[in-house]
Amino acid sequence: VQLQASGGGLVQPGGSLRLSCATSGFALDRYAIAWFRQVSGKEREGISCISRRDGNTYSIYYTDSVKGRFTMSRDIAKNTAYLQMNNLQLDDTADYYCAALRGLCSFSADEYKYWGRGTLVTVSS
């Protein structure tokens, strides 16, 4: 199982970025995929998660601080999950990670067995 996050960079406040999480080695639709972020010296924070609910439906969850600004999606055919981040603010500066959990969504980092390397997002004027 492998995950690789990409798409980070430097952006001005109010700007946008789209992060990608390329996955391999497992069936994407059978795992919850989450985005976490971490600022140096602080705990890793779960910000968005997608998992299958039943049949072909799925659920997406967001932490309050990103609701209305960030949108998570996934492309099963490409084995890739995305995080569209709009109206970025200074507080969004962090290393962003994607992680996989066989099961339903959780914002608890301890529950995730598989992690990709982080991609740095810097919001600065």
Side-chain angles (χ1 to χ4, degrees):
V1 174
Q2 291 188 328
L3 301 94
Q4 179 61 58
S6 62
L10 174 64
V11 63
Q12 292 185 339
S16 299
L17 283 174
R18 188 175 82 154
L19 304 184
S20 298
C21 177
T23 72
S24 63
F26 65 99
L28 185 61
D29 64 337
R30 297 186 179 183
Y31 280 70
I33 302 296
W35 286 98
F36 288 78
R37 65 186 180 186
Q38 188 171 26
V39 176
S40 180
K42 294 188 176 181
E43 291 187 358
R44 201 163 286 191
E45 173 194 22
I47 59 172
S48 183
C49 184
I50 185 170
S51 64
R52 190 166 74 174
R53 186 166 60 194
D54 52 55
N56 290 323
T57 64
Y58 54 90
S59 298
I60 305 176
Y61 305 91
Y62 301 94
T63 194
D64 286 346
S65 61
V66 307
K67 280 181 183 177
R69 300 188 299 123
F70 292 9
T71 302
M72 186 172 182
S73 62
R74 65 181 181 182
D75 186 328
I76 299 298
K78 294 183 178 180
N79 293 318
T80 302
Y82 303 95
L83 185 67
Q84 177 66 42
M85 306 187 295
N86 297 329
N87 191 23
L88 283 160
Q89 304 300 312
L90 298 177
D91 288 349
D92 294 318
T93 296
D95 284 305
Y96 284 71
Y97 300 84
C98 57
L101 164 66
R102 186 172 176 89
L104 300 178
C105 277
S106 169
F107 279 160
S108 174
D110 290 343
E111 295 191 36
Y112 287 79
K113 181 178 180 180
Y114 306 107
W115 290 86
R117 299 179 71 174
T119 185
L120 178 63
V121 172
T122 303
V123 184
S124 175
S125 56

